[in-house]
């Protein structure tokens, strides 16, 4: 938490001249300004260094929230369950799922491959399965063509995510419990 607070203070100091008082309340994504500088021109104080620090801060805040196992389970548990079910099926060829960046972040944290880097626009997470020479069904995880987790038995991955998976019924029960406790 101390590192996150230090990062927040540094970012606030950097944003203050650009955005005025309380810049963290109105933090924006400056990446498009940096990508399209040739078209929109430059803006004083907005540069790649700032954009990357903002993204790292956002990713770190997200990761800190998902350090709570129950929040992670509520955020990604159903998706992890669905993906594990797909990977366990014989003969599946390809399954495409789409998600927003914060859902992708929760999913990567659940798989224990998140690198505290906000997912780029149009990022892709690929879980690839194969039968290895010893007839073990194995899986590897790639994000944007970078190997995040090299080949390992599917059962090892299943054990790794077992505390996170959540069926639709478990999710509904958890939500009912939360609703009842706040009523």
């Amino acid at each position: 938490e101390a590192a996150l607070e230090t990062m927040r203070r540094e970012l606030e100091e950097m944003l203050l001249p650009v955005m005025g008082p309380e810049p963290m309340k109105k933090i924006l994504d400056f990446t498009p300004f940096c990508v399209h500088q040739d078209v929109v021109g430059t803006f004083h104080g907005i540069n790649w260094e700032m954009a990357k620090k903002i993204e790292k801060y956002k990713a770190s805040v997200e990761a800190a929230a998902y350090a709570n196992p129950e929040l992670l389970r509520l955020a990604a548990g159903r998706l992890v369950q669905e993906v594990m079910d797909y990977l366990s099926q014989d003969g599946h060829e390809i399954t495409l799922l789409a998600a927003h960046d914060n859902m992708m972040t929760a999913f990567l944290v659940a798989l224990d491959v998140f690198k505290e880097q906000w997912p780029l626009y149009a990022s892709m997470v690929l879980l690839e399965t194969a039968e290895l020479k010893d007839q073990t069904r194995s899986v590897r995880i790639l994000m944007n063509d970078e190997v995040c987790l090299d080949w390992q038995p599917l059962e090892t991955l299943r054990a790794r995510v077992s505390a996170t998976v959540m069926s639709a019924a478990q999710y509904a029960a958890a939500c009912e419990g939360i609703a009842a406790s706040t009523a």
Side-chain angles (χ1 to χ4, degrees):
E1 255 183 61
L4 195 58
E5 180 58 27
T6 300
M7 190 184 306
R8 189 197 65 74
R9 276 196 315 273
E10 288 173 1
L11 190 56
E12 190 169 46
E13 286 175 23
M14 182 183 276
L15 289 169
L16 192 60
V18 177
M19 299 178 69
E22 300 186 21
M24 298 307 284
K25 290 186 177 179
K26 43 192 170 188
I27 195 165
L28 300 171
D29 179 6
F30 291 116
T31 304
F33 292 110
C34 297
V35 170
H36 301 292
Q37 280 181 356
D38 57 329
V39 177
V40 298
T42 59
F43 294 88
H44 176 71
I46 298 175
N47 56 42
W48 278 111
E49 179 187 359
M50 178 186 290
K52 288 178 182 176
K53 282 190 177 197
I54 290 169
E55 287 188 2
K56 176 141 180 76
Y57 176 74
K58 287 180 182 178
S60 298
V61 168
E62 195 94 359
Y66 295 136
N68 178 313
E70 191 58 22
L71 285 178
L72 179 61
R73 194 165 179 252
L74 289 167
R78 292 186 322 164
L79 177 59
V80 173
Q81 178 69 60
E82 188 171 342
V83 168
M84 293 308 296
D85 290 347
Y86 283 130
L87 295 175
S88 300
Q89 293 174 2
D90 288 331
H92 78 280
E93 291 185 20
I94 189 168
T95 302
L96 298 173
L97 303 169
H100 286 281
D101 47 8
N102 61 341
M103 182 70 245
M104 187 177 286
T105 300
F107 184 61
L108 294 169
V109 170
L111 296 173
D112 197 23
V113 296
F114 185 61
K115 296 181 178 178
E116 290 201 21
Q117 178 182 2
W118 199 257
L120 300 171
Y121 182 73
S123 285
M124 173 192 68
V125 176
L126 175 69
L127 283 84
E128 188 175 24
T129 58
E131 298 281 329
L132 299 184
K133 292 178 185 176
D134 64 358
Q135 302 301 311
T136 303
R137 181 175 293 182
S138 294
V139 63
R140 75 175 178 165
I141 302 171
L142 297 93
M143 180 170 175
N144 301 330
D145 297 326
E146 177 188 337
V147 175
C148 299
L149 183 69
D150 215 346
W151 292 107
Q152 65 177 240
L154 179 59
E155 294 309 313
T156 302
L157 180 63
R158 186 181 316 284
R160 185 181 195 154
V161 300
S162 64
T164 305
V165 295
M166 183 178 250
S167 68
Q170 290 170 318
Y171 184 79
C175 290
E176 286 173 17
I178 292 169
S181 69
T182 60

